[in-house]
Amino acid sequence: MNSSTETSNGAGDAISVRAAELFKEQQQNIIRHTDRIFSWLMPCQWLASVAIALWISPRTWAGVDSQIHPHVWFAIFLGGAITSLPVFLARTQPGKMLTRQTIAIGQMLMSALLIHLTGGRIETHFHVFGSLAILAFYRDWRVLISASAVVYVDHLLRGFFWPESVYGVLHAPIWRSFEHAGWVMFEVTFLMISIRKSLSEMHLVAERQARLEAVNETIERTVAERTLALTLENTERQRTEEQLRKSQTQLAQAQQIASLGSWEWDLVENRVTWSEETKQLYGRTPEELGSPMEHCLKRVHPEDLPRVNQIMAESLRTHEPFVCDHRVILPDGKERVLQGRGEIQLNGEGKPIKMFGTVQDITETKRAEDALRRSEEQLRQSQKMEAVGRLAGGVAHDFNNLLTVIEGYCGLSLQEMKETHPLYKHIQEILRAAERASSLTGQLLAFSRKQFLQPRVLQLNEVVQKMEKMLRRLIGEDVELSTVFDAALGRVQADPHQIEQVILNLAVNARDAMPRGGKLTIKTANITVDQKSSFRNRVLEPGEYIMLAISDNGLGMTDDVKSHLFEPFFTTKGLGKGTGLGLATCYGIICQSGGDIRVYSEPNSGTTFKIYLPRTDAVPEPAASSDAKLIPGGTESILVVEDDSAVRKLAVVILRGRGYQVQESNNAFEALELIRKNSRFDLVITDVIMPQMSGKELCDQIKGQLPQTRVLLMSGYTDDALAHHGILDEELSFLEKPFSPARLARKVREVLDAPDVPGRFHPNGKKQTPVELVS
Amino acid sequence: MFSITALRTSLFALWLLAAGGGIVVISNYQDRQGSVGSTPEQWPAVRQISLNHDHDTLVMFAHPQCPCTRASVEELNRLLAQCRGRIAAYVLFFKPGQLPGNWTKTDLKQSAAAIPGVTVRDDPDGMLARTFGAETSGYVLLYDPRGRLLFRGGITAGRGHAGDNAGENAIVSLVAGQSTSLQGTPVYGCSLLSQSCSRRGASQ
């Protein structure tokens, strides 16, 4: 209360002070304004006095003589003197007391002058009263007092010295001077009353103005504070809006980069709004913004639309977020895969009012996933093949050793036995079974691409022609075999036996696909591949190829069957009717030969397998003339090193049977000991894979000690295994297991008879590059 | 600061002195009397004007170009208005012989002629003025019907100053038959005769 009272008093004092200031200011303005009035009025009066003098009494006469009337000089000089100082002060020092007092006195003196100049006319006396009234403009009673004093003094002195000029009589009492002054005071009194009232009003106005200013100041301060607050708020809002715009821009950029758009569905008004990126993803136009959801879903692929609707309806029912991958068809016809995510916003009553979410272009992701899936499938397939290959390779060694022994002893038995012998046919069956087992082992190695290939330059027309008779017999009479050969067919480099195996497998499959007969067509052609061509993740590089197409008009295959076609152990022939290795073997052989095999098939429309092998310009070698019946022999000294005793003994028996001097050893260390004791061995035949020391290491040591001793390596292992032991890196003589007695005898003779450096690897009696072997 | 104030005060005092002095000078000038010649106590024998034997006869001498005489004519008008029917009045305007006739045809002369009961006459070369001893414009003489001089002087309070004055009041009283001790007042106006005229008249 006290503080408010003090504040009120303080404000009142301030207003009073301000009111006083305003009053003084206003008073000064009035005084200055009045000064200006007199600064113009007095010169005018002066000029008027001169004009009056010139008009009323221009000249004074003496008979006919005349001269300028003294009144003219009085008007000029006395009037000028009276006017000069007041005007000077009014112009140079307006507002000062001295100025207005001088003006008041001067104005009254000017009245006196004018009265004189006009001959004391009563009308001129009005100048006195008019001047007093004008002096009252100052609203300063002091100037009226001064002016009145001048008038009175003038009147008093004139009445005293020149009474007749004032009173019209030669002698007048002193009191008559008050008569004139009385009228002056009469006016001055009312002027002063008026001044007082005017000043009072000025005080009131000043106070009101001071109060108004105080109120204005308060208002302006309040306005300034509000304006400042608003400015700050506005600045803050602008900054926030700028940040928002920046964030929105960043969000839009992020959405654009991520191909991620946002959308919002007002469930109450069924209006959908979306971001720029969503518009791009759905191929929307700006006019469609705010359209109903049904309209927005028009771009969804028709096959996906029911699922999308179902997912969204389920989300609306359960209020659970959802994720929905779907395809959209853009206006340009392109198809994209989008992943939509959405959530439900509920109101206070738990009812859904809004659905909002994102949509992301996952087309590339899907493609990558598909590619990854295919890669994984391929990897899985490769791993499967690798596993099978490992299995095949693993069993091949022991299996081939067994088969070597079986085939060897069967062969020896048949050589020493007449055909009439009761056991001859039994042994022949054993031998055939061993050969089939050997073939099976070869197939296992073939589809796993671990087959030991012996490529040659081939003309596929010739290969097929050689097989035609056998194929006709194989496919049966109800299947027609037709061949279409390209007369200018180029050559390929491949293992002829493996190619025959491929053709045989495909022909058998074709026959099985035509249980009621049909037509099998084998066609060859030169093909030029202009650009990279992919199939089953294999890429066919541009170049010249030889195509071998084997077609049937049988049952054909579904896509699912086609997708598993070349997998090992996959068969549609039913249990016991197929091994599932045929097409896998074909695929492995062709791929290992640097080619590709492709299948074109539709259910009930037949199947065509097209084999592409790189064309070669190499010239085919003439077929080696060999007498199959002739089994060569010799007398040279041979050391057989083999850890498998059965194989070793078989080899020893075969070679001794051919006249060679043979010693045997079951490991490399023992062999080296024998060699040290008897350095006359012409040939060392050693298994490659042996415990403690491999055949390759043994070979290296023999070459170090006995450079002239020739070495023949033998193995039933795969090429990978041989490569691991460095066999394929060098040109070493090699004999593949299983072998027959004749093959062993011929190989041994071949190595011994080789004219060049002994120990060369000549699987077919000629040089072969490691690359060809590996392929 | 002090010097400026003193300067102001001095300036103000000087100004006040000059202006007041000027007012005093002009007041003094206003009250400066004109010269008066020897006026005959008995109506002289002149032909241009004649004495009225029934009423008092008033004669005013005026210079036609004198600005101060305008007040005298005005006062004459007032005076005659008070004495209408009891006084005969002449206003004699100085007329130098060597100047054209229109020199005397002034507003002043017309104003005088317009006053009822006033007879305006030219006074060639100031002959009558010299006869009556009038040397200053606005000089008024009053003779009774028997030709005796009752009053002489001016009928303005000052030079060119209209308004109540002692001369006018004296004439009104004399015409009314009342006695007055005042038989003469100062006269304010231009000289009727130039120096050369005066000398010539004096010599005549």
Side-chain angles (χ1 to χ4, degrees), chain A residues 164-165 167-169, chain B residues 75 78 155-157 161-166 168-169:
Chain A
E164 191 182 10
S165 66
Y167 308 122
V169 294
Chain B
E75 290 307 315
R78 288 177 53 200
I155 55 173
T156 58
H161 198 127
D164 291 342
N165 59 85
E168 184 184 342
N169 293 334

Side-chain angles (χ1 to χ4, degrees), chain A residues 129-332:
Chain A
F129 299 100
S131 296
L132 288 171
I134 298 172
L135 287 171
F137 286 5
Y138 281 115
R139 304 189 193 189
D140 184 354
W141 58 271
R142 289 168 294 189
V143 295
L144 295 179
I145 295 299
S146 302
S148 300
V150 170
V151 172
Y152 180 70
V153 168
D154 174 68
H155 206 68
L156 182 67
L157 292 177
R158 283 162 57 94
F160 182 76
F161 291 105
W162 306 285
E164 191 182 10
S165 66
V166 179
Y167 308 122
V169 294
L170 295 175
H171 301 284
I174 191 67
W175 61 266
R176 289 205 61 182
S177 64
F178 297 112
E179 182 184 3
H180 195 279
W183 288 111
V184 170
M185 288 310 297
F186 175 76
E187 183 188 3
V188 168
T189 301
F190 285 97
L191 286 174
M192 292 178 72
I193 292 171
S194 174
I195 287 171
R196 185 182 174 189
K197 185 171 180 57
S198 178
L199 291 175
S200 176
E201 288 175 353
M202 283 174 61
H203 274 296
L204 282 174
V205 169
E207 189 174 338
R208 284 176 191 162
Q209 187 172 349
R211 290 184 184 281
L212 188 62
E213 282 182 359
V215 172
N216 279 345
E217 188 180 353
T218 305
I219 292 171
E220 285 177 1
R221 191 168 56 247
T222 306
V223 168
E225 290 172 357
R226 296 282 174 83
T227 303
L228 179 63
L230 283 172
T231 304
L232 292 173
E233 187 180 336
N234 196 33
T235 304
E236 183 65 26
R237 185 188 294 116
Q238 285 178 343
R239 190 162 62 242
T240 305
E241 287 174 352
E242 182 63 27
Q243 288 176 344
L244 180 60
R245 274 195 295 275
K246 196 174 178 182
S247 298
Q248 287 175 336
T249 303
Q250 290 175 339
L251 178 61
Q253 289 173 341
Q255 288 190 354
Q256 184 183 1
I257 292 168
S259 293
L260 178 68
S262 58
W263 54 271
E264 190 175 291
W265 179 17
D266 187 336
L267 297 170
V268 178
E269 297 185 1
N270 192 18
R271 290 178 74 251
V272 184
T273 55
W274 50 72
S275 69
E276 180 67 20
E277 188 59 23
T278 303
K279 188 187 81 173
Q280 299 290 340
L281 291 174
Y282 277 92
R284 294 284 174 206
T285 60
E287 293 76 22
E288 293 176 304
L289 189 69
S291 56
M293 178 56 86
E294 296 78 16
H295 183 80
C296 299
L297 293 175
K298 282 184 178 177
R299 292 272 157 74
V300 176
H301 195 287
E303 293 178 4
D304 295 346
L305 185 57
R307 182 171 53 84
V308 171
N309 282 327
Q310 182 185 357
I311 289 173
M312 292 177 74
E314 183 69 12
S315 178
L316 284 172
R317 189 179 64 78
T318 62
H319 305 166
E320 291 294 329
F322 68 87
V323 178
C324 175
D325 294 354
H326 58 282
R327 292 168 293 171
V328 294
I329 301 174
L330 300 180
D332 58 3

